[in-house]
């Protein structure tokens, strides 16, 4: 199998497929002069771009500046599987574990968020290859079925249009000998081209009068009581308020990292599948799909029928944002192996692109808000790999906190509490390495790996589903 994987990877480009496009807009000029603004947004991913649009639409008079260290969509937003979800947390099951008291509100906010997401894309004619095909959760082996059934039950309880699939019907949707069942949540989710979404949002923000500076990095912030002075690499910005949308990079205040760890996830993209190859796997309904493996794999089709196959975590010391090993074949071999084990009928398929991207991981596996400089700056991030639609929600609530809006939801736990503290380096590095090894091998080998995952669950990371335990209810969040 591994030999087949290495062969299929032999001509791969180490570049996110989404960013390998001649439709990328040219970068806005870097900031060179000192300026003033009402609102400074730091980070040009989905969160920053949505925040700029939402704030400008709400109050067109507000002066808004957005700075991005690299170019728009350089971070996670140009690199995801880009499966759209109606959940603004990390799916219903994890949300029900962590925020049982907020769940009704979170579900309502999730529906409102996805409607606003859809409506904005349509109103501004953002061409981003969106397909509202739903989410498919597939059980790998019989041991995956309890998780599928639990998630399905919650979807039914909260009024989602969902169908439970037995072995035969799941294989009709997506044919793999590993899948023993699943469920398909049919509405308000699907797939998108994330780079085209980000570039479209950039166009809209510029058209509304947002000033965007690319290749401009926040270096330092000074609190001058009534305002902040932000030093960039080339200039100074005087701002009344600042929204830090730096997610896994955790830039903007040294304490952010205490609750956000940068891990990386890896993705492979195949060449376009022929109609005959597609017929071998079915997938007529083109859903975004996740499986129940401990080291979760996710998959989807693109507009030109390539298959994206993702899910192989890595951790690099001190949050290295550009690890050189991820520009070599080695870290992708096990992912390619998993692809061929999942779809043995696609042995003749080759990969064209391989990449990794930064995930801002927290113990609540979902967005949170940190307040700095007496409330003049809010950090919003920590989506834990589930933020393509949730980033719009994060932007909306980050702004609501920053502008002290009178919204009763701001008093709920999800908006008013913080995720747990995560140990610093080198303990973070060592702990992550052991956890990733355990996640990788727990399904096959069990033993101490399960015990370790239980320990990590006790620290607050919701891993009970990987260990077969009931949810841990004693964590302080
Ligand atoms: C491999 C992978 C697969 C994923 N798959 C999915 C999926 O299928 N579905 C889903 O819902 N979510 C998925 N996600 C998660 C989703 O992509 C993210 O949650 C979302 O893109 C986060 O957007 P963001 O704007 O908060 O962060 P980012 O897009 O990371 O943006 C942060 C930006 O801040 C900039 N920045 C950093 N430091 C500074 C500084 N000092 N000054 C100025 N700018 C700075 C960075 O350059 C970056 O552009 C995935 C993520 C990855 C990595």
């Amino acid at each position: 199998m591994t030999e087949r994987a290495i062969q299929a990877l032999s001509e791969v480009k180490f570049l996110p497929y989404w960013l390998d496009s001649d439709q990328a807009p040219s970068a806005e000029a870097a900031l060179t002069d000192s300026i003033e603004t009402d609102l400074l947004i730091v980070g040009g991913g989905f969160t920053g771009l949505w925040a700029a649009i939402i704030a400008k639409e709400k109050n067109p008079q507000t002066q808004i500046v957005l700075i991005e260290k690299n170019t728009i969509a350089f971070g996670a937003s140009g690199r995801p599987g880009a499966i759209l979800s109606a959940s603004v947390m990390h799916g219903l099951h994890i949300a029900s574990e962590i925020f049982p008291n907020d769940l009704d509100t979170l579900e309502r906010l999730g529906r409102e968020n996805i409607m606003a997401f859809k409506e904005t894309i349509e109103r501004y004619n953002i061409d981003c290859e969106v397909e509202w095909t739903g989410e498919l959760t597939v059980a790998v082996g019989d041991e995956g079925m309890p998780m599928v059934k639990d998630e399905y039950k919650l979807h039914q309880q909260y009024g989602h249009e969902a169908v439970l699939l037995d072995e035969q019907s799941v294989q009709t949707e997506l044919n793999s000998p590993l899948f023993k069942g699943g469920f398909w949540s049919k509405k308000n989710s699907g797939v998108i081209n994330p780079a085209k979404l980000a570039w479209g949002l950039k166009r809209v923000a510029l058209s509304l009068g947002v000033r965007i500076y690319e290749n401009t990095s926040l270096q330092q912030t000074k609190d001058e009581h009534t305002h902040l002075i932000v030093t960039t690499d080339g200039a100074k910005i005087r701002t009344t308020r600042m929204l830090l949308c730096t997610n896994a990079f955790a830039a903007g205040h040294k304490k952010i990292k205490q609750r956000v760890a940068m891990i990386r996830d890896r993705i492979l993209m195949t060449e376009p599948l022929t109609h005959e190859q597609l017929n071998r796997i079915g997938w007529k309904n083109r859903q975004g799909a996740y499986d129940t493996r401990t080291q979760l794999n996710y998959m989807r089709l693109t507009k030109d029928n390539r298959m994206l196959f993702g899910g192989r975590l890595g951790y690099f010391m001190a949050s290295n944002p550009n690890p050189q090993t991820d520009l070599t074949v080695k870290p992708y071999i096990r992912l390619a192996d998993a692809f061929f084990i999942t779809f043995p009928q696609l042995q003749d398929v080759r990969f064209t692109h391989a990449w990794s991207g930064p995930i801002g991981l927290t113990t609540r596996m979902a967005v949170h808000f940190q307040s700095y400089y007496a409330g003049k700056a809010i950090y919003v991030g920590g989506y834990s790999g589930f933020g393509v639609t949730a980033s719009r929600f994060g932007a909306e609530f980050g702004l609501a906190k920053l502008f002290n809006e009178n919204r009763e939801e701001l008093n709920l736990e999800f908006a008013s509490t913080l995720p747990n503290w995560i140990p610093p380096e080198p303990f973070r590095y060592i702990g992550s390495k052991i956890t990733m090894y355990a996640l990788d091998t727990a399904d096959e080998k069990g033993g101490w790996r399960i015990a370790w995952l239980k320990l990590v669950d006790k620290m607050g990371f919701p891993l009970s589903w990987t260990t077969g335990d009931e949810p841990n209810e004693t964590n302080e969040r």
Side-chain angles (χ1 to χ4, degrees):
M1 189 62 75
T2 298
E3 219 166 276
R4 173 75 203 102
I6 293 172
Q7 210 182 16
L9 287 164
S10 62
E11 285 173 34
V12 92
K13 282 193 207 177
F14 297 103
L15 182 65
Y17 166 76
W18 309 116
L19 300 178
D20 187 13
S21 161
D22 54 13
Q23 292 181 40
S26 51
E28 299 305 300
L31 180 67
T32 49
D33 299 326
S34 292
I35 55 170
E36 285 188 23
T37 187
D38 301 322
L39 170 62
L40 173 64
I41 294 172
V42 184
F46 293 140
T47 307
L49 292 163
W50 278 115
I53 293 169
I54 293 168
K56 233 354 180 183
E57 284 185 337
K58 200 166 231 174
N59 186 355
Q61 309 313 322
T62 310
Q63 288 187 50
I64 302 178
V65 168
L66 184 154
I67 58 171
E68 162 55 49
K69 182 174 183 171
N70 294 281
T71 47
I72 294 296
F74 166 83
S77 301
R79 296 160 191 265
I83 298 173
L84 303 173
S85 176
S87 170
V88 287
M89 298 283 115
H90 203 282
L92 252 170
H93 175 86
I94 291 181
S96 71
E97 258 189 54
I98 298 184
F99 298 116
N101 302 327
D102 296 354
L103 200 53
D104 290 355
T105 308
L106 286 169
E107 276 292 292
R108 172 178 59 76
L109 293 173
R111 276 192 297 277
E112 289 170 9
N113 181 59
I114 202 92
M115 289 308 149
F117 182 98
K118 258 186 202 174
E119 188 273 331
T120 311
I121 288 174
E122 284 166 15
R123 182 157 45 93
Y124 290 109
N125 281 322
I126 299 179
D127 164 24
C128 48
E129 296 163 13
V130 63
E131 298 183 54
W132 296 104
T133 46
E135 283 169 286
L136 190 65
T137 306
V138 290
V140 171
D142 294 331
E143 60 276 20
M145 277 315 280
M147 188 181 153
V148 159
K149 284 186 180 156
D150 176 51
E151 190 85 40
Y152 168 70
K153 236 178 15 208
L154 278 167
H155 274 71
Q156 272 201 317
Q157 192 182 325
Y158 281 95
H160 294 267
E161 193 182 318
V163 280
L164 192 63
L165 306 168
D166 61 15
E167 183 167 354
Q168 199 185 348
S169 38
V170 80
Q171 306 249 345
T172 314
E173 292 304 327
L174 183 53
N175 185 5
S176 161
L178 301 187
F179 300 163
K180 299 295 175 203
F183 88 96
W184 176 12
S185 176
K186 291 189 156 185
K187 289 268 161 68
N188 294 333
S189 49
V191 294
I192 205 164
N193 179 322
K196 288 177 92 174
L197 172 63
W199 298 332
L201 294 174
K202 171 184 169 179
R203 166 179 60 78
V204 173
L206 286 170
S207 75
L208 294 173
V210 176
R211 286 177 283 165
I212 297 181
Y213 299 96
E214 293 178 63
N215 296 303
T216 300
S217 169
L218 171 149
Q219 304 282 355
Q220 218 182 12
T221 304
K222 199 162 158 230
D223 188 353
E224 304 232 313
H225 304 296
T226 55
H227 59 272
L228 301 170
I229 300 287
V230 169
T231 308
T232 68
D233 15 23
K236 283 194 192 314
I237 305 171
R238 183 187 201 274
T239 185
T240 319
R241 291 185 171 87
M242 173 160 73
L243 196 66
L244 296 166
C245 306
T246 52
N247 198 29
F249 301 91
H253 195 284
K254 62 178 187 310
K255 286 194 171 167
I256 298 170
K257 276 198 174 72
Q258 292 180 352
R259 294 169 199 277
V260 181
M262 183 194 279
I263 57 170
R264 295 188 78 82
D265 200 21
R266 303 188 179 98
I267 287 184
L268 291 171
M269 186 68 94
T270 71
E271 60 197 350
L273 303 184
T274 63
H275 284 296
E276 189 274 320
Q277 284 169 328
L278 259 181
N279 282 340
R280 293 183 215 157
I281 51 168
W283 220 351
K284 292 178 294 300
N285 291 313
R286 304 175 63 82
Q287 307 93 329
Y290 311 91
D291 71 27
T292 55
R293 271 176 274 213
T294 304
Q295 169 82 271
L296 161 128
N297 286 122
Y298 46 93
M299 53 218 92
R300 56 160 291 181
L301 294 171
T302 61
K303 192 181 168 197
D304 63 351
N305 291 333
R306 293 162 187 269
M307 195 201 295
L308 177 149
F309 192 83
R312 173 138 187 80
L313 297 171
Y315 184 84
F316 296 88
M317 191 65 151
S319 307
N320 180 352
N322 198 12
Q324 292 303 300
T325 42
D326 279 1
L327 305 177
T328 65
V329 165
K330 198 166 167 227
Y332 300 96
I333 294 174
R334 285 192 67 164
L335 184 57
D337 271 343
F339 173 89
F340 289 119
I341 290 168
T342 311
F343 300 111
Q345 63 279 52
L346 293 182
Q347 294 294 321
D348 51 344
V349 166
R350 298 175 70 83
F351 303 106
T352 59
H353 294 76
W355 69 93
S356 70
I359 284 181
L361 183 74
T362 70
T363 59
R364 59 166 63 172
M365 304 277 272
V367 64
H368 73 287
F369 311 91
Q370 298 185 26
S371 176
Y372 294 104
Y373 307 116
K376 291 190 282 299
I378 298 283
Y379 164 85
V380 44
Y383 303 95
S384 305
F386 219 79
V388 176
T389 46
S391 49
R392 192 205 158 279
F393 165 82
E396 183 183 334
F397 274 81
L399 288 169
K401 277 187 98 79
L402 189 61
F403 285 90
N404 294 315
E405 283 175 22
N406 187 15
R407 289 189 69 152
E408 60 184 31
E409 297 101 337
L410 290 176
N411 300 319
L412 295 182
E413 249 180 279
F414 81 86
S416 59
T417 61
L418 292 171
N420 291 355
W421 180 82
I422 309 173
E425 305 288 14
F427 308 104
R428 191 176 286 204
Y429 175 80
I430 296 163
S432 305
K433 285 285 179 195
I434 299 173
T435 306
M436 276 164 201
Y437 179 72
L439 282 170
D440 244 5
T441 51
D443 285 345
E444 290 158 49
K445 299 186 178 159
W448 68 264
R449 296 154 185 88
I450 301 287
W452 176 266
L453 293 175
K454 281 183 180 170
L455 184 72
V456 175
D457 183 66
K458 287 251 175 313
M459 280 178 65
F461 289 97
L463 289 179
S464 55
W465 52 272
T466 65
T467 58
D469 275 4
E470 285 305 306
N472 168 17
E473 286 171 10
T474 55
N475 292 321
E476 250 182 66
R477 309 269 172 203

